[in-house]
Amino acid sequence: MADLRGHLCWAPETASATINTEAVNPSPAVFLATHTPLRIRRARIQGRSLIPMDGTADEGTVLADFLERRSATGALLMPVVGDTGSGKSHLVRWVRENIPASGDRQVIYLEKTQTSLKAVVNALLEGVDSESLSKLRADIDSFSSGLDETALARRVINALNEVLAATSPRDLSGANRILAGPRGLAVLLQDPHIQEHLLGPGKYIPLLAAQLLHNRDAGSPERPAGFTVDDLPLKVQEIDKAAEVSKALLSKLLSKPHLRTPAVDLLNQHIETAIQNVSSLGSGRLQQAMLEVRQEYARQGKEIILLVEDFALVQGVQRELLDALTEPAVREGTTRYAHMRTMMAVTTGYFTDLPETVMSRVSAATTGYLYDLDLIFDRQDDGAEQIASFVGRYLNAARTGQEELQRSGGHRVPNICETCPVRTPCHDAFGHSQEGHGLYPFNRPALLRMVHSVAPANQPWAFVPRTVLSNIVRRVLVDDAAEISACTFPDAAFKERFPLGPEDPPLTSAVSELVNSYDQIDPQRRNRVLEFWGDAPADPAALDPGILEAFGLPPLPDEASQHRPPAPEPAPSVKGRPPAGENTPSPALRRKLEAIENWATRNLPLQQAIAGELRALIGETVFRRYNWSLPLMKEMGKTEASRAWPNNSIVVSIEGAGGENLPGTAAAPIKLKRNTLNSQFFQSLLLARDGSGTPRSEDIRRLARFADTKATDLAARLQQSFEISDADLTAGLRAALIGAALAGKAWPGMDDADLLSAALHDGRGWTRGDHTIRTAQWRQLLEHHLNQRKTLVEGLRAGLGLSQGIGAVQMIDAARALPLLRQAASNWTWRSPEQVPEWVKRAVMGFATWEERIDEQNTELVATLGRVRRHLPRETSGRDSVEAVQAALKEADKVGLSPTGAQQRNRLEALTAEAAKADWQVVSALERDLNKASSADADHATAARVHAAVRDRGASLNAIEAFLTEADQWLTTALSDASARSDLAGDAAARDVQTVLNEWAALSEGKSNDG
């Protein structure tokens, strides 16, 4: 027994050949077999507007009205208006097929594919001949065969230039007057460079030329009814090649957009005259020819029936044709021309844009009203039944095929469903039209939703037959046939083709997520079927078993219905407040929940304010649950940390939400896609924060997981923003070590504990004992660093420490700090300030010259050591030197060889006293350090140089040098004075002093080896 699974009751190729979107395409039998009675309304012409009238009509009423309505002038015009694809041409053809045969009528039919002037003129003049008409036909034949499309396009543009040049500014108003006359739009058409742009592919004039010479293929796109703003030369390349007068007008069109519409109107008003001038139709020839035709048929006693499938495409002859067909048949009581009835299809916009002079004649010829085919269905009318009837006929035709339709003549078409083996389950599951045509693979909810989806954006309830046939019926039966047969229909592309209209409720995210949890095979396809064929039910199991079978979807388990989400909350009571005692969301919260639902189910943008609330909820949860000990760093308040972790899309990015255009959004650590899972998550967050409704527990757990899994991202953001990454801290530690080295508190080779202590010291109280032997540049660099060191150390402590709450740092993370410290201490050079964090930069100003300062200071130390060694050779005891000077001073006092003056005596005694207390080992230590610096290999040279330069030598070295220098000066003077006294009184005493001085001199010259 046949079943519905993957059932195809049509052949795709048959459906493709049978379902035609153009009224002119199918044979009469197929046309009549698929024709569905239309709902038509009358509209009254009021100025340039159409005012709908009460009631509707069908095509039979329109036909009767057209054939029977009396016109006082004998020239009846019945426009049929509607937007593209509304069925205007379909109605005109149906009227043609149903006009009773009569010898009293001459039917002239202009198909919408008959766009060439030759076809139009021959159709209008068919059946009548005369010398003037033969001449007109010959001229049109010559025109059509004597030109190609390119040549005609150039003739048209040149003729239009001549017509525009003849216009007068008086015909326009205000600023628009600059468009008229020989220096107006005419100059643009005359400019060769701009002509090339206007004649480019896709532009109006070459398209017009092509279809003036050749009829349009039935399947090709319709030509625009006239110029549009896109045809204006607003994007001409290499504008400098244009003439100066052309550039001046172009600049006005570019800078003053209000001129563009008047420019287009001016072109459209004169294009017909230009066409007539190049096609031998000028001087009213067509109007006279048509009047001659009417005279001939009046002589024969016939009424003319003119049917025009698309009046806008009869370009070049429209006004003259209107003049001819609205010319009164009777003048002064005498019938001069045949009575004429004209039905013409025309788009609403084109009709209302006709010139006022034309509109007035049309209004008079229509007796005041016309027929409007723009169908608008609403929830109160029977639109669903009419749509089902319309589609059902085409479905039956697709199942029947052209051969059978031809045999039936289009009148008694068999209903294939009556002999189908699965008719009963199919009709029970998918439904059927009032005529008994099965709707499979559609049903009424699916059809309505698809029709609303393809309707114009500003008219969601509009029914456009051509769009429905091409985008829905034909596409599903032909393009989706393989997927239907394979039970993979509707696929993901289906939802993209048919986005929901605002009038159709989507499948709620709650139901969708329930399906996702119970359907482990194809949940998304089931959701699409539920939304369209199930009309978005609240119960995920609420699909007819026949629909499930046809689409190859197994039933959901019973518990899916048992766990279906609760019905929406009741509307709030008086003044928008929920009933007392009920835990229901506030009206404001409901609006937010609805916006989130529409974001997920309708692909609508999520308002920035709501997205901001959600970002704050998620981002702050991650922040507040952050463990500041992994890695250990100073705890921050939310305000302080907002620079690194702001409540915007840089941290929490929500697809399709407002505020997603910030730089850095693409790298957001938390990215939430537009889907039903996240819709439920967001709604739960708002419900939980508000304390109302019933948030899902799994969503609260998901928020907690975010807090756990995104902690590393938060830490990375904090480290990056506050510049406390490993690289930043290493740079800061190196800066702190070099600063400490400047102060003599750190140097290569110190143990980790001492280095870390020095690096984290803020420098308060730091002074150098050897500041007197430091270079001026060294002292200046140290002073600046110490003034800025506090900020540097605070940055290090914040990045490496743990605080009590958000207070001061109380503990340093040694496990993190020591590896970074060792890395910093492995290199005692410096890099440029641009490579370091902001909190480091001020403290390292001048560090670029750090190595120069090292070399300068070592040079200075070498010189100091040299001066000391000049008076204190190696292996000479400094303390012996002090004692010798002290002894010499005592002996010198006896013979008057003491330093002259109390000041010199006091200074020498003071220096001698300082030297007696000095650490004389500093001299040999400095000498060892400088020797290492000069002899170290390449790998250790920098560390040795730094070590020698930065060690604090204390005050001893300066005291020793000063003592030795002063003592040497006195010694030299005293020895000279002692020698001069050899023949004076007291020579013996002087000789005794000289003996002591000689001993000091020998000591200072290294001649004594006493300790």
Side-chain angles (χ1 to χ4, degrees), residues 705-732:
R705 287 196 301 274
F706 269 125
D708 295 336
T709 59
K710 299 302 177 181
T712 54
D713 294 298
L714 172 57
R717 287 298 181 97
L718 290 169
Q719 291 176 3
Q720 178 185 9
S721 180
F722 291 95
E723 299 177 298
I724 52 176
S725 67
D726 285 358
D728 295 326
L729 291 172
T730 300

PDB file of all heavy atoms in Angstrom, residues 705-732:
ATOM      1  N   ARG A 705      28.944  28.561  34.583  1.00  0.00           N
ATOM      2  CA  ARG A 705      30.033  27.992  33.786  1.00  0.00           C
ATOM      3  C   ARG A 705      30.814  29.093  33.070  1.00  0.00           C
ATOM      4  O   ARG A 705      32.033  29.011  32.921  1.00  0.00           O
ATOM      5  CB  ARG A 705      29.492  26.979  32.779  1.00  0.00           C
ATOM      6  CG  ARG A 705      29.054  25.670  33.395  1.00  0.00           C
ATOM      7  CD  ARG A 705      28.907  24.577  32.339  1.00  0.00           C
ATOM      8  NE  ARG A 705      27.940  24.916  31.311  1.00  0.00           N
ATOM      9  CZ  ARG A 705      26.627  24.690  31.395  1.00  0.00           C
ATOM     10  NH1 ARG A 705      26.134  24.131  32.502  1.00  0.00           N
ATOM     11  NH2 ARG A 705      25.812  25.002  30.422  1.00  0.00           N
ATOM     12  N   PHE A 706      30.096  30.113  32.607  1.00  0.00           N
ATOM     13  CA  PHE A 706      30.776  31.247  31.993  1.00  0.00           C
ATOM     14  C   PHE A 706      31.776  31.846  32.979  1.00  0.00           C
ATOM     15  O   PHE A 706      32.907  32.181  32.622  1.00  0.00           O
ATOM     16  CB  PHE A 706      29.771  32.318  31.569  1.00  0.00           C
ATOM     17  CG  PHE A 706      29.269  32.160  30.163  1.00  0.00           C
ATOM     18  CD1 PHE A 706      27.916  32.084  29.902  1.00  0.00           C
ATOM     19  CD2 PHE A 706      30.147  32.115  29.100  1.00  0.00           C
ATOM     20  CE1 PHE A 706      27.446  31.938  28.611  1.00  0.00           C
ATOM     21  CE2 PHE A 706      29.689  31.980  27.799  1.00  0.00           C
ATOM     22  CZ  PHE A 706      28.332  31.889  27.553  1.00  0.00           C
ATOM     23  N   ALA A 707      31.318  32.011  34.224  1.00  0.00           N
ATOM     24  CA  ALA A 707      32.191  32.612  35.231  1.00  0.00           C
ATOM     25  C   ALA A 707      33.450  31.784  35.442  1.00  0.00           C
ATOM     26  O   ALA A 707      34.535  32.325  35.691  1.00  0.00           O
ATOM     27  CB  ALA A 707      31.428  32.765  36.544  1.00  0.00           C
ATOM     28  N   ASP A 708      33.325  30.460  35.334  1.00  0.00           N
ATOM     29  CA  ASP A 708      34.481  29.588  35.548  1.00  0.00           C
ATOM     30  C   ASP A 708      35.384  29.530  34.316  1.00  0.00           C
ATOM     31  O   ASP A 708      36.608  29.624  34.435  1.00  0.00           O
ATOM     32  CB  ASP A 708      34.010  28.181  35.920  1.00  0.00           C
ATOM     33  CG  ASP A 708      33.270  28.157  37.260  1.00  0.00           C
ATOM     34  OD1 ASP A 708      33.513  29.069  38.080  1.00  0.00           O
ATOM     35  OD2 ASP A 708      32.444  27.244  37.464  1.00  0.00           O
ATOM     36  N   THR A 709      34.771  29.360  33.150  1.00  0.00           N
ATOM     37  CA  THR A 709      35.575  29.125  31.945  1.00  0.00           C
ATOM     38  C   THR A 709      36.170  30.402  31.365  1.00  0.00           C
ATOM     39  O   THR A 709      37.148  30.332  30.614  1.00  0.00           O
ATOM     40  CB  THR A 709      34.727  28.428  30.868  1.00  0.00           C
ATOM     41  OG1 THR A 709      33.590  29.265  30.554  1.00  0.00           O
ATOM     42  CG2 THR A 709      34.220  27.087  31.363  1.00  0.00           C
ATOM     43  N   LYS A 710      35.597  31.539  31.686  1.00  0.00           N
ATOM     44  CA  LYS A 710      36.092  32.791  31.121  1.00  0.00           C
ATOM     45  C   LYS A 710      37.018  33.535  32.069  1.00  0.00           C
ATOM     46  O   LYS A 710      37.428  34.667  31.772  1.00  0.00           O
ATOM     47  CB  LYS A 710      34.916  33.693  30.720  1.00  0.00           C
ATOM     48  CG  LYS A 710      34.006  33.081  29.670  1.00  0.00           C
ATOM     49  CD  LYS A 710      34.742  32.728  28.399  1.00  0.00           C
ATOM     50  CE  LYS A 710      33.862  32.049  27.372  1.00  0.00           C
ATOM     51  NZ  LYS A 710      34.606  31.693  26.147  1.00  0.00           N
ATOM     52  N   ALA A 711      37.358  32.915  33.210  1.00  0.00           N
ATOM     53  CA  ALA A 711      38.245  33.575  34.158  1.00  0.00           C
ATOM     54  C   ALA A 711      39.610  33.844  33.540  1.00  0.00           C
ATOM     55  O   ALA A 711      40.222  34.892  33.761  1.00  0.00           O
ATOM     56  CB  ALA A 711      38.387  32.722  35.417  1.00  0.00           C
ATOM     57  N   THR A 712      40.108  32.890  32.757  1.00  0.00           N
ATOM     58  CA  THR A 712      41.412  33.099  32.121  1.00  0.00           C
ATOM     59  C   THR A 712      41.367  34.252  31.126  1.00  0.00           C
ATOM     60  O   THR A 712      42.348  34.989  30.979  1.00  0.00           O
ATOM     61  CB  THR A 712      41.864  31.817  31.402  1.00  0.00           C
ATOM     62  OG1 THR A 712      40.835  31.394  30.499  1.00  0.00           O
ATOM     63  CG2 THR A 712      42.118  30.703  32.411  1.00  0.00           C
ATOM     64  N   ASP A 713      40.219  34.410  30.442  1.00  0.00           N
ATOM     65  CA  ASP A 713      40.079  35.541  29.513  1.00  0.00           C
ATOM     66  C   ASP A 713      40.076  36.857  30.276  1.00  0.00           C
ATOM     67  O   ASP A 713      40.676  37.847  29.838  1.00  0.00           O
ATOM     68  CB  ASP A 713      38.785  35.401  28.707  1.00  0.00           C
ATOM     69  CG  ASP A 713      38.825  34.211  27.780  1.00  0.00           C
ATOM     70  OD1 ASP A 713      39.679  34.174  26.894  1.00  0.00           O
ATOM     71  OD2 ASP A 713      37.988  33.303  27.957  1.00  0.00           O
ATOM     72  N   LEU A 714      39.363  36.875  31.418  1.00  0.00           N
ATOM     73  CA  LEU A 714      39.351  38.082  32.245  1.00  0.00           C
ATOM     74  C   LEU A 714      40.759  38.413  32.714  1.00  0.00           C
ATOM     75  O   LEU A 714      41.191  39.571  32.650  1.00  0.00           O
ATOM     76  CB  LEU A 714      38.410  37.887  33.436  1.00  0.00           C
ATOM     77  CG  LEU A 714      38.434  38.985  34.507  1.00  0.00           C
ATOM     78  CD1 LEU A 714      38.120  40.342  33.906  1.00  0.00           C
ATOM     79  CD2 LEU A 714      37.465  38.656  35.630  1.00  0.00           C
ATOM     80  N   ALA A 715      41.489  37.395  33.203  1.00  0.00           N
ATOM     81  CA  ALA A 715      42.850  37.639  33.666  1.00  0.00           C
ATOM     82  C   ALA A 715      43.717  38.197  32.538  1.00  0.00           C
ATOM     83  O   ALA A 715      44.489  39.136  32.741  1.00  0.00           O
ATOM     84  CB  ALA A 715      43.450  36.341  34.198  1.00  0.00           C
ATOM     85  N   ALA A 716      43.563  37.616  31.340  1.00  0.00           N
ATOM     86  CA  ALA A 716      44.351  38.090  30.194  1.00  0.00           C
ATOM     87  C   ALA A 716      43.993  39.528  29.847  1.00  0.00           C
ATOM     88  O   ALA A 716      44.876  40.344  29.542  1.00  0.00           O
ATOM     89  CB  ALA A 716      44.120  37.176  28.994  1.00  0.00           C
ATOM     90  N   ARG A 717      42.694  39.853  29.910  1.00  0.00           N
ATOM     91  CA  ARG A 717      42.267  41.217  29.607  1.00  0.00           C
ATOM     92  C   ARG A 717      42.812  42.202  30.655  1.00  0.00           C
ATOM     93  O   ARG A 717      43.243  43.306  30.315  1.00  0.00           O
ATOM     94  CB  ARG A 717      40.745  41.302  29.551  1.00  0.00           C
ATOM     95  CG  ARG A 717      40.114  40.670  28.318  1.00  0.00           C
ATOM     96  CD  ARG A 717      40.574  41.379  27.051  1.00  0.00           C
ATOM     97  NE  ARG A 717      39.990  40.824  25.857  1.00  0.00           N
ATOM     98  CZ  ARG A 717      38.899  41.319  25.243  1.00  0.00           C
ATOM     99  NH1 ARG A 717      38.296  42.385  25.745  1.00  0.00           N
ATOM    100  NH2 ARG A 717      38.436  40.769  24.153  1.00  0.00           N
ATOM    101  N   LEU A 718      42.741  41.808  31.922  1.00  0.00           N
ATOM    102  CA  LEU A 718      43.264  42.675  32.968  1.00  0.00           C
ATOM    103  C   LEU A 718      44.766  42.894  32.787  1.00  0.00           C
ATOM    104  O   LEU A 718      45.266  44.028  32.890  1.00  0.00           O
ATOM    105  CB  LEU A 718      42.987  42.059  34.344  1.00  0.00           C
ATOM    106  CG  LEU A 718      41.522  42.043  34.794  1.00  0.00           C
ATOM    107  CD1 LEU A 718      41.357  41.183  36.036  1.00  0.00           C
ATOM    108  CD2 LEU A 718      41.023  43.461  35.063  1.00  0.00           C
ATOM    109  N   GLN A 719      45.471  41.821  32.515  1.00  0.00           N
ATOM    110  CA  GLN A 719      46.912  41.939  32.336  1.00  0.00           C
ATOM    111  C   GLN A 719      47.246  42.793  31.118  1.00  0.00           C
ATOM    112  O   GLN A 719      48.180  43.599  31.143  1.00  0.00           O
ATOM    113  CB  GLN A 719      47.526  40.548  32.189  1.00  0.00           C
ATOM    114  CG  GLN A 719      47.483  39.737  33.477  1.00  0.00           C
ATOM    115  CD  GLN A 719      48.004  38.323  33.289  1.00  0.00           C
ATOM    116  OE1 GLN A 719      48.445  37.967  32.203  1.00  0.00           O
ATOM    117  NE2 GLN A 719      47.941  37.522  34.330  1.00  0.00           N
ATOM    118  N   GLN A 720      46.454  42.626  30.077  1.00  0.00           N
ATOM    119  CA  GLN A 720      46.708  43.411  28.869  1.00  0.00           C
ATOM    120  C   GLN A 720      46.370  44.876  29.093  1.00  0.00           C
ATOM    121  O   GLN A 720      47.154  45.762  28.747  1.00  0.00           O
ATOM    122  CB  GLN A 720      45.887  42.854  27.709  1.00  0.00           C
ATOM    123  CG  GLN A 720      46.052  43.651  26.422  1.00  0.00           C
ATOM    124  CD  GLN A 720      45.136  43.148  25.305  1.00  0.00           C
ATOM    125  OE1 GLN A 720      44.268  42.312  25.542  1.00  0.00           O
ATOM    126  NE2 GLN A 720      45.326  43.647  24.115  1.00  0.00           N
ATOM    127  N   SER A 721      45.195  45.142  29.680  1.00  0.00           N
ATOM    128  CA  SER A 721      44.745  46.515  29.844  1.00  0.00           C
ATOM    129  C   SER A 721      45.599  47.281  30.845  1.00  0.00           C
ATOM    130  O   SER A 721      45.968  48.431  30.613  1.00  0.00           O
ATOM    131  CB  SER A 721      43.283  46.540  30.289  1.00  0.00           C
ATOM    132  OG  SER A 721      42.834  47.858  30.447  1.00  0.00           O
ATOM    133  N   PHE A 722      45.915  46.633  31.971  1.00  0.00           N
ATOM    134  CA  PHE A 722      46.713  47.294  32.994  1.00  0.00           C
ATOM    135  C   PHE A 722      48.201  47.026  32.804  1.00  0.00           C
ATOM    136  O   PHE A 722      49.011  47.378  33.653  1.00  0.00           O
ATOM    137  CB  PHE A 722      46.251  46.851  34.385  1.00  0.00           C
ATOM    138  CG  PHE A 722      44.894  47.371  34.742  1.00  0.00           C
ATOM    139  CD1 PHE A 722      43.764  46.598  34.538  1.00  0.00           C
ATOM    140  CD2 PHE A 722      44.727  48.655  35.236  1.00  0.00           C
ATOM    141  CE1 PHE A 722      42.501  47.078  34.845  1.00  0.00           C
ATOM    142  CE2 PHE A 722      43.474  49.142  35.546  1.00  0.00           C
ATOM    143  CZ  PHE A 722      42.350  48.358  35.345  1.00  0.00           C
ATOM    144  N   GLU A 723      48.531  46.380  31.733  1.00  0.00           N
ATOM    145  CA  GLU A 723      49.913  46.131  31.338  1.00  0.00           C
ATOM    146  C   GLU A 723      50.678  45.393  32.435  1.00  0.00           C
ATOM    147  O   GLU A 723      51.725  45.826  32.899  1.00  0.00           O
ATOM    148  CB  GLU A 723      50.606  47.447  30.989  1.00  0.00           C
ATOM    149  CG  GLU A 723      49.955  48.176  29.834  1.00  0.00           C
ATOM    150  CD  GLU A 723      50.616  49.503  29.548  1.00  0.00           C
ATOM    151  OE1 GLU A 723      50.609  50.379  30.435  1.00  0.00           O
ATOM    152  OE2 GLU A 723      51.149  49.683  28.428  1.00  0.00           O
ATOM    153  N   ILE A 724      50.079  44.257  32.844  1.00  0.00           N
ATOM    154  CA  ILE A 724      50.717  43.446  33.878  1.00  0.00           C
ATOM    155  C   ILE A 724      50.851  42.004  33.404  1.00  0.00           C
ATOM    156  O   ILE A 724      50.775  41.067  34.200  1.00  0.00           O
ATOM    157  CB  ILE A 724      49.945  43.521  35.217  1.00  0.00           C
ATOM    158  CG1 ILE A 724      48.462  43.198  35.004  1.00  0.00           C
ATOM    159  CG2 ILE A 724      50.111  44.873  35.870  1.00  0.00           C
ATOM    160  CD1 ILE A 724      47.664  43.148  36.291  1.00  0.00           C
ATOM    161  N   SER A 725      51.032  41.845  32.116  1.00  0.00           N
ATOM    162  CA  SER A 725      51.333  40.514  31.596  1.00  0.00           C
ATOM    163  C   SER A 725      52.743  40.120  32.011  1.00  0.00           C
ATOM    164  O   SER A 725      53.504  40.934  32.569  1.00  0.00           O
ATOM    165  CB  SER A 725      51.217  40.505  30.075  1.00  0.00           C
ATOM    166  OG  SER A 725      52.234  41.304  29.504  1.00  0.00           O
ATOM    167  N   ASP A 726      53.108  38.883  31.748  1.00  0.00           N
ATOM    168  CA  ASP A 726      54.456  38.444  32.087  1.00  0.00           C
ATOM    169  C   ASP A 726      55.512  39.329  31.434  1.00  0.00           C
ATOM    170  O   ASP A 726      56.514  39.700  32.062  1.00  0.00           O
ATOM    171  CB  ASP A 726      54.656  36.985  31.657  1.00  0.00           C
ATOM    172  CG  ASP A 726      53.944  36.017  32.591  1.00  0.00           C
ATOM    173  OD1 ASP A 726      53.335  36.484  33.578  1.00  0.00           O
ATOM    174  OD2 ASP A 726      53.992  34.797  32.327  1.00  0.00           O
ATOM    175  N   ALA A 727      55.276  39.653  30.175  1.00  0.00           N
ATOM    176  CA  ALA A 727      56.247  40.501  29.469  1.00  0.00           C
ATOM    177  C   ALA A 727      56.312  41.888  30.091  1.00  0.00           C
ATOM    178  O   ALA A 727      57.391  42.480  30.249  1.00  0.00           O
ATOM    179  CB  ALA A 727      55.879  40.594  27.990  1.00  0.00           C
ATOM    180  N   ASP A 728      55.125  42.435  30.459  1.00  0.00           N
ATOM    181  CA  ASP A 728      55.086  43.762  31.074  1.00  0.00           C
ATOM    182  C   ASP A 728      55.795  43.750  32.422  1.00  0.00           C
ATOM    183  O   ASP A 728      56.572  44.663  32.752  1.00  0.00           O
ATOM    184  CB  ASP A 728      53.641  44.221  31.249  1.00  0.00           C
ATOM    185  CG  ASP A 728      52.924  44.431  29.931  1.00  0.00           C
ATOM    186  OD1 ASP A 728      53.587  44.860  28.976  1.00  0.00           O
ATOM    187  OD2 ASP A 728      51.717  44.161  29.863  1.00  0.00           O
ATOM    188  N   LEU A 729      55.510  42.747  33.221  1.00  0.00           N
ATOM    189  CA  LEU A 729      56.111  42.676  34.549  1.00  0.00           C
ATOM    190  C   LEU A 729      57.613  42.437  34.460  1.00  0.00           C
ATOM    191  O   LEU A 729      58.387  42.971  35.271  1.00  0.00           O
ATOM    192  CB  LEU A 729      55.441  41.571  35.366  1.00  0.00           C
ATOM    193  CG  LEU A 729      53.982  41.856  35.762  1.00  0.00           C
ATOM    194  CD1 LEU A 729      53.351  40.640  36.402  1.00  0.00           C
ATOM    195  CD2 LEU A 729      53.908  43.052  36.702  1.00  0.00           C
ATOM    196  N   THR A 730      58.044  41.663  33.499  1.00  0.00           N
ATOM    197  CA  THR A 730      59.482  41.461  33.311  1.00  0.00           C
ATOM    198  C   THR A 730      60.161  42.784  32.981  1.00  0.00           C
ATOM    199  O   THR A 730      61.230  43.112  33.525  1.00  0.00           O
ATOM    200  CB  THR A 730      59.734  40.440  32.185  1.00  0.00           C
ATOM    201  OG1 THR A 730      59.126  39.193  32.538  1.00  0.00           O
ATOM    202  CG2 THR A 730      61.227  40.236  31.972  1.00  0.00           C
ATOM    203  N   ALA A 731      59.517  43.565  32.099  1.00  0.00           N
ATOM    204  CA  ALA A 731      60.071  44.883  31.776  1.00  0.00           C
ATOM    205  C   ALA A 731      60.079  45.777  33.009  1.00  0.00           C
ATOM    206  O   ALA A 731      61.043  46.513  33.256  1.00  0.00           O
ATOM    207  CB  ALA A 731      59.253  45.524  30.659  1.00  0.00           C
ATOM    208  N   GLY A 732      59.001  45.719  33.802  1.00  0.00           N
ATOM    209  CA  GLY A 732      58.949  46.527  35.019  1.00  0.00           C
ATOM    210  C   GLY A 732      60.000  46.111  36.029  1.00  0.00           C
ATOM    211  O   GLY A 732      60.636  46.969  36.682  1.00  0.00           O
TER     212      GLY A 732
END
